[in-house]
Amino acid sequence: MEYRIYVDDFIDVWNLKINEGESTSMHVHPRKLTYLLCLAGQGVTETLSGHVPVGAGTILRIGGGAFHSSKSIGPGPLWLVEVEAPRNKFDLIRLRDNYDRQGTGYEQDHTEVPDLPARPISFLPQARLRDRSPDGEFAFGIRAGADIFYRRQPQDLFHIPLGLTGVVTGELDILAPAQADARRPALDQYYLSLALD
């Protein structure tokens, strides 16, 4: 299962639920940077040259042109967040796939979740956000860096910086407070916050 958490003119953020024993296709995004953030579960992300264990709190940076596939090794599902910068849903090539999608792009079919609409964010033009996962296990919200700094919350997992800077530089300075990341957020910047609900 995959659903969009957040989108604006620059980045796209998706939540993936990979059931135990299942995996994504071995694929590449030739022109965009991808970050994989693990919210919960155990898995492995494979590349053409090796593999990396993935568990709650893991942050993986996958450069443009790097083939990768993520698999849940259980017990239970692997919950990932995929951050794509810049936003580009045509930037996908599948090499191998367990569902006969090799050589194809993104799926065109999608289903709206009526009780979980993507709502516009008034202070971020062209931005839309879903505030929770369909099962209600995770919460998503927009917070100012000053709010994150002065009101740390124990359920916070990750803070993703919003804006053009990361797209231009090719680096998103993602904060991981659940992993004892004590770096200071930029006080004048907005973040997409991912938390346990």
Side-chain angles (χ1 to χ4, degrees), residues 4-5 25 29 32 50 55 66 74 78 86 112 119 143 162 164 166 173 177:
R4 180 181 269 154
I5 296 171
S25 57
H29 306 289
K32 68 183 170 189
L78 178 65
E112 288 296 325
R119 63 180 174 83
R143 292 176 63 196
L162 301 176
L164 187 57
D173 193 18

Side-chain angles (χ1 to χ4, degrees), residues 69-151:
S69 172
S70 295
K71 179 178 184 174
S72 173
I73 58 174
L78 178 65
W79 287 95
L80 298 175
V81 166
E82 182 178 58
V83 181
E84 302 171 349
R87 177 181 173 216
N88 182 350
K89 286 316 264 183
F90 299 103
D91 190 29
L92 171 74
I93 300 170
R94 289 189 172 110
L95 180 64
R96 295 189 301 264
D97 185 73
N98 295 332
Y99 310 99
D100 295 322
R101 299 174 301 173
Q102 56 274 5
T104 66
Y106 286 100
E107 290 82 1
Q108 299 301 313
D109 296 333
H110 66 278
T111 303
E112 288 296 325
V113 182
D115 60 339
L116 193 56
R119 63 180 174 83
I121 306 298
S122 62
F123 51 90
L124 295 172
Q126 307 304 317
R128 294 187 314 278
L129 169 75
R130 286 189 170 88
D131 62 2
R132 61 183 166 82
S133 59
D135 64 356
E137 191 169 341
F138 304 103
F140 314 118
I142 307 297
R143 292 176 63 196
D147 182 54
I148 293 168
F149 181 73
Y150 290 110
R151 297 190 319 141

